[in-house]
Amino acid sequence: MVPCQGLVFRAPRRFPPALSQRKTEAKFGPAPPVGARQPLCPRERRTPAGAAAARREPRGPSRSSGPRDGSAGRPGHRTPGLWVTAAMEMGSSSTEKFYRIPKGKGPHSVGCTDLMTEDAVEGSFLRLYYPSCDATDNEEAPWIPDKEYYQGLCDFLNMYRVVGERLFQYYVGSVTCPAKSNAAFKPGEKYPLLVFSHGLGAFRTIYSAVCIEMASQGFIVAAVEHRDESASATYYCKKKSVSEPHEESASSMEKEWIYYRKLKSGEEERGLRHKQVQQRAQECIKALNLILKINSGEEVVNVLDSNFDWNSLKDSVDTSRIAVMGHSFGGATVIESLSREIRFRCGIALDAWMLPVGDDIYQNGVQQPLLFINSEKFQWAGNIVKMKRLSSNDTNKKMITIKGSVHQSFPDFTFVSGEIIGRFFRLKGEIDPNEAIDISNRASLAFLQKHLGLEKDFDKWDSLVDGIGPNVIPGTNIELSPSAPK
């Protein structure tokens, strides 16, 4: 298959009747109470009009038929997800435009490959992004590799599968990420290792803009796909039973799919999320151990079909320079992982959702340096206070906020949607998506250089870590009570 050069995003004159009759509400990240969102500029304090006003939600439980996945009527709380409120009928548009996940800006070409160990749910599953040799013959990797991920997203977003799968296939079915699939690993130096944890309802491929940029700057990035039932969909491979007929050329393995688990009626959310974040942290540590095992030259069996040479990674990881990074629920996973594993020398939490973090962590603290990079529109006072409980009076813990950004400024969906769709589905903020992700990535690189002791030039972005520069502020835009931690 020839890799596509981008996604052609056309707004059809009218969706089929089955689509136009279905109103969809969904979320890809917890939406704070509107009253808790503090605009950065006085001009933004005016009352929104039109669709923006219609999307403004009241404080407290919603009576909407859309999914709330366990908000349980608690004021000011939503569960992380792809937050969408839209009638599935759109006007006509004569404009065509190509949208594409941005390439890495660093000096290295980037390859990626998938790794799964063991034919059981307890194994590891990750996508590895890495500095690669130039690979003109290799195709770019598919962004969403299986239709079952569309089905999982539909379940997570409370959409009929037959409707949602058709929409996802139409709009993003041919999207690729700018990393060459199974390209040869670039030897010759030791690279720092970054383990990445995805958000609720996401999966391993959805943060490729972040992971590819880090790999282009000289990191090996292991993007974990979590099996705690917080991903929209994931799978493990198991051996086919003897009774199952299969063609001679077919694999003896089959995929066993695991879909997102919604809260049961009356179930308390924090208990479930805390249990999940513990499993997630363990999966991050397991991924770390797996990469270090490969680095030491031990043979690892990949149950997925791949022609990538895993032996080429031997002695390629700088084992003294390891960090962990994640978005939303993945931000909570970063904190949990730091508290459990000292080999993670520092962590970066992108718009972290703090509900899953256990009380014991606030009591014992996190010793390693930690950077919180927040969006302007997502955070609320209760969440920020929890961050400050971990970071007060510690100069190695920083917090910045990107002006005009939203919770979806970090995953890839912001890049593959047009302006109208992106704003309508809240996949885009007021800031250009490329500028927002550049601020986040550059602040991350500067932070990693300082706390991993890298000999790079990322310190030219040190001011961003202090919240100094265009479209970034130090700390938070949220007004806190005088008694809140500083």
Side-chain angles (χ1 to χ4, degrees):
M1 181 184 72
V2 178
C4 75
Q5 297 304 308
L7 169 66
V8 179
F9 200 105
R10 297 184 180 92
R13 290 186 176 276
R14 185 179 180 87
F15 281 109
L19 308 190
S20 63
Q21 293 169 6
R22 170 74 173 163
K23 176 173 279 189
T24 303
E25 290 191 5
K27 38 199 170 79
F28 214 59
V34 171
R37 299 176 189 168
Q38 304 297 325
L40 290 170
C41 304
R43 62 178 175 81
E44 296 175 32
R45 295 184 184 274
R46 62 182 180 272
T47 302
R55 290 195 299 270
R56 180 170 285 239
E57 296 190 22
R59 186 184 297 268
S62 169
R63 297 183 181 276
S64 165
S65 60
R68 285 296 175 262
D69 298 337
S71 59
R74 292 188 297 281
H77 177 71
R78 300 288 188 276
T79 301
L82 208 158
W83 189 31
V84 174
T85 303
M88 300 305 295
E89 181 168 343
M90 303 178 189
S92 63
S93 173
S94 60
T95 303
E96 290 186 8
K97 186 174 181 179
F98 290 95
Y99 297 98
R100 182 162 175 77
I101 298 166
K103 295 181 179 180
K105 295 177 171 62
H108 299 282
S109 298
V110 178
C112 70
T113 190
D114 290 328
L115 174 61
M116 182 184 294
T117 62
E118 303 178 31
D119 55 350
V121 70
E122 293 79 17
S124 289
F125 189 19
L126 57 87
R127 172 162 286 190
L128 196 76
Y129 300 86
Y130 52 88
S132 71
C133 301
D134 292 334
T136 55
D137 294 334
N138 292 64
E139 294 185 347
E140 290 188 347
W143 182 48
I144 299 181
D146 296 279
K147 66 179 178 61
E148 285 81 1
Y149 288 107
Y150 298 142
Q151 297 171 1
L153 285 168
C154 292
D155 294 347
F156 180 72
L157 301 175
N158 263 16
M159 299 172 69
Y160 293 123
R161 281 189 175 186
V162 68
V163 174
E165 187 176 341
R166 182 177 175 183
L167 282 172
F168 282 117
Q169 183 63 46
Y170 178 81
Y171 283 115
V172 299
S174 60
V175 173
T176 60
C177 67
K180 295 300 183 71
S181 181
N182 296 317
F185 180 78
K186 185 178 181 179
E189 62 179 286
K190 288 184 177 289
Y191 302 101
L193 175 63
L194 185 62
V195 177
F196 192 94
S197 173
H198 64 72
L200 192 71
F203 36 92
R204 72 189 187 284
T205 68
I206 295 301
Y207 296 87
S208 63
V210 175
C211 296
I212 287 171
E213 174 62 14
M214 295 297 138
S216 79
Q217 298 288 357
F219 287 80
I220 294 174
V221 184
V224 177
E225 188 158 289
H226 293 294
R227 290 171 170 168
D228 61 332
E229 299 179 298
S230 69
S232 284
T234 186
Y235 66 93
Y236 63 95
C237 291
K238 67 176 185 178
K239 292 182 179 179
K240 292 181 179 178
S241 61
V242 178
S243 61
E244 290 185 52
H246 54 86
E247 301 175 10
E248 291 183 12
S249 60
S251 170
S252 61
M253 308 293 285
E254 63 179 354
K255 295 177 180 179
E256 183 74 14
W257 285 89
I258 304 167
Y259 292 101
Y260 175 74
R261 168 175 150 8
K262 295 184 178 180
L263 285 172
K264 300 171 184 176
S265 178
E267 184 177 14
E268 196 274 324
E269 180 167 27
R270 189 168 187 271
L272 171 64
R273 301 308 180 202
H274 180 57
K275 181 179 179 181
Q276 287 176 321
V277 80
Q278 291 178 306
Q279 178 176 334
R280 284 166 144 260
Q282 193 56 45
E283 288 170 338
C284 287
I285 296 169
K286 190 180 295 184
L288 166 59
N289 291 333
L290 177 62
I291 300 302
L292 294 184
K293 183 178 180 181
I294 295 170
N295 181 67
S296 68
E298 292 187 50
E299 184 176 354
V300 171
V301 177
N302 186 5
V303 301
L304 302 175
D305 292 330
S306 170
N307 59 4
F308 182 74
D309 181 12
W310 289 97
N311 291 324
S312 64
L313 266 67
K314 183 180 179 181
D315 296 327
S316 65
V317 178
D318 187 337
T319 58
S320 67
R321 294 183 169 97
I322 300 169
V324 60
M325 185 179 194
H327 172 248
S328 194
F329 201 173
T333 307
V334 166
I335 295 166
E336 187 77 28
S337 300
L338 290 172
S339 72
R340 291 181 174 213
E341 181 53 72
I342 196 64
R343 288 177 296 176
F344 289 127
R345 288 184 52 185
C346 62
I348 300 171
L350 307 175
D351 231 10
W353 182 44
M354 301 296 288
L355 178 75
V357 177
D359 293 334
D360 58 317
I361 292 180
Y362 295 112
Q363 294 168 2
N364 301 326
V366 172
Q367 304 306 313
Q368 302 96 313
L370 177 60
L371 173 62
F372 291 103
I373 303 179
N374 294 334
S375 69
E376 177 190 351
K377 305 295 185 181
F378 171 72
Q379 293 296 336
W380 64 101
N383 212 50
I384 293 292
V385 167
K386 290 179 179 179
M387 294 181 192
K388 286 186 170 291
R389 286 178 62 188
L390 289 175
S391 59
S392 61
N393 302 320
D394 187 342
T395 58
N396 287 326
K397 293 183 173 63
K398 299 281 189 176
M399 182 189 300
I400 61 173
T401 298
I402 301 174
K403 296 179 182 179
S405 60
V406 296
H407 200 51
Q408 295 308 311
S409 294
F410 301 94
D412 294 337
F413 281 103
T414 192
F415 301 108
V416 298
S417 58
E419 284 301 317
I420 296 174
I421 297 296
R423 292 290 183 90
F424 195 76
F425 285 76
R426 297 208 178 177
L427 304 177
K428 295 181 186 288
E430 296 170 358
I431 188 174
D432 179 84
N434 290 281
E435 184 176 356
I437 206 69
D438 281 350
I439 292 171
S440 177
N441 286 337
R442 289 168 179 173
S444 298
L445 289 166
F447 185 81
L448 291 169
Q449 170 158 328
K450 178 178 180 180
H451 296 290
L452 295 182
L454 304 177
E455 295 180 1
K456 303 282 187 178
D457 64 348
F458 305 149
D459 55 353
K460 62 189 175 186
W461 298 311
D462 279 349
S463 61
L464 293 175
V465 181
D466 293 321
I468 300 171
N471 291 314
V472 64
I473 63 168
T476 181
N477 59 302
I478 304 299
E479 294 179 4
L480 304 176
S481 69
S483 61
K486 301 299 182 183

